[in-house]
Each structure stands twice: as structure tokens, then as C-alpha cells.
């Protein structure tokens, strides 16, 4: 099974906030832009995921000076399985109806087997909490993640001159 990008990003945002909240040196509270930059993902995608996580009650997002992102108590104890279900939805693993319906749909056993496998996947994640997945050695590694350095070309003003004459 392959997770949607939004599911993967949601889990990574929550993990990042879980360890940032535990680090007293991590001030100020990270913003959506900070988290997106640290994970090297587009800000717009991160903002959409943060809005959904906030709607789910897993994090708080405060605007303005002193604002930022913080996990709620519900977010700290949330089941990874519940988070993945919320982002992945209840859809079937395979599309049997669609624009070109499968000719086997009336007597197919595959659809049910895949649905059971999908539920087993979710169920295996149900007992796992955010705290479980950020325990050592993951937590310290997450704290060390920073945005990759971008190459910087000096401007004309920084390099001294546009010409290379005597």
C-alpha cells in the first residue's frame, strides 16, 4: 500500500512538532513556513495539511507575533492508524466502477480481499502513537534536520565589480 503525499506530510509535520515541543532550546514556536523549510517541502502543501490537522484537533496554529504551531494533547496521544485513516479516506484500494467498470465486479473476490488487507494495515497502526514514533533514535534526528543550504551566487555589488578590467 502506498500512502498519499498528504498523509506522509501530515505524519512528518506531527513528528516534527512532537520533538520540537519537547526541546526547551527550540524557541520560538515553529511556524508552518519553518516546518515546510525544515522538511524541504512546498509551503502551500504544508499549509493545507496543517489546516486539516488543526481541523482534526491535533495541533494549534496561532498567527502573529509569538504565533506558530503546537501539538494539542489530543495530537500527542493520537493513534497513527486514526491519522492515516483520516487522510487516506475509506475508499477502496482498487477502482471497480469508474469510467470503465471492471467486468468481474459482480463476482470478484479480489475487492474484498484487498479491503481486508487495507483494514489490517490500518489496524496495525492503531496502537502506535505519535510518542512511539518519535522515541529515540528518531526524535534527536528530527531535531537535527534543517533546510538544505541553497547555493548562493554573489551579486554584482557583493563581488565588487561587473567588469574584470585592470
Amino acid at each position: 500500500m502506498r500512502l498519499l503525499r498528504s498523509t506522509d506530510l501530515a505524519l512528518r509535520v506531527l513528528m516534527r512538532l512532537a520533538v520540537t515541543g519537547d526541546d526547551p532550546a527550540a524557541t520560538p514556536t515553529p511556524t508552518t513556513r519553518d516546518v515546510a523549510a525544515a522538511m524541504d517541502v512546498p509551503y502551500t502543501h504544508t499549509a493545507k495539511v496543517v489546516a486539516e490537522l488543526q481541523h482534526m484537533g491535533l495541533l494549534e496554529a496561532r498567527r502573529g507575533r509569538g504565533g506558530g504551531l503546537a501539538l494539542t494533547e489530543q495530537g500527542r496521544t493520537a493513534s497513527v492508524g486514526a491519522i492515516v485513516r483520516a487522510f487516506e479516506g475509506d475508499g477502496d484500494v482498487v477502482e471497480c466502477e469508474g469510467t470503465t467498470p471492471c467486468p468481474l465486479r459482480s463476482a470478484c473476490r479480489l475487492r474484498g480481499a484487498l479491503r481486508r488487507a487495507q483494514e489490517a494495515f490500518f489496524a496495525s497502526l492503531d496502537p502506535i502513537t505519535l510518542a512511539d514514533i518519535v522515541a529515540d533514535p528518531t526524535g534527536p534526528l528530527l531535531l537535527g534536520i534543517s533546510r538544505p543550504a541553497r547555493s548562493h551566487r554573489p551579486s554584482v555589488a557583493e563581488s565588487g565589480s561587473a567588469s574584470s578590467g585592470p
Side-chain angles (χ1 to χ4, degrees):
M1 181 169 178
R2 184 178 198 137
L3 296 178
L4 298 171
R5 283 191 208 175
S6 59
T7 306
D8 174 51
L9 184 53
L11 292 171
R12 291 192 291 148
V13 166
L14 292 171
M15 290 170 67
R16 180 73 180 187
L17 292 177
V19 295
T20 303
D22 292 339
D23 182 17
T27 53
T29 306
T31 64
T32 302
R33 199 168 296 282
D34 295 336
V35 172
M39 293 188 300
D40 200 25
V41 294
Y43 168 76
T44 54
H45 295 157
T46 307
K48 289 177 188 177
V49 166
V50 163
E52 182 61 27
L53 291 169
Q54 185 178 14
H55 178 73
M56 293 169 62
L58 302 178
L59 62 79
E60 293 176 344
R62 294 177 302 276
R63 292 178 165 257
R65 188 176 179 104
L69 304 174
L71 283 179
T72 62
E73 189 55 38
Q74 180 183 351
R76 290 193 175 283
T77 60
S79 158
V80 172
I83 296 165
V84 171
R85 270 188 194 89
F87 275 87
E88 293 293 314
D90 292 333
D92 286 322
V93 177
V94 294
E95 180 64 45
C96 299
E97 300 301 324
T99 55
T100 309
C102 176
L104 302 174
R105 70 185 178 280
S106 64
C108 183
R109 298 176 127 187
L110 178 62
R111 185 178 191 177
L114 290 174
R115 183 68 176 149
R116 287 187 300 277
Q118 180 183 34
E119 186 49 42
F121 172 76
F122 291 147
S124 71
L125 295 174
D126 283 341
I128 302 169
T129 66
L130 193 55
D132 295 331
I133 60 175
V134 296
D136 282 347
T138 305
L141 179 64
L142 280 166
L143 286 173
I145 294 174
S146 62
R147 186 174 192 175
R150 304 277 183 210
S151 63
H152 174 72
R153 287 189 186 156
S155 67
V156 172
E158 292 173 327
S159 64
S161 149
S163 65
S164 58

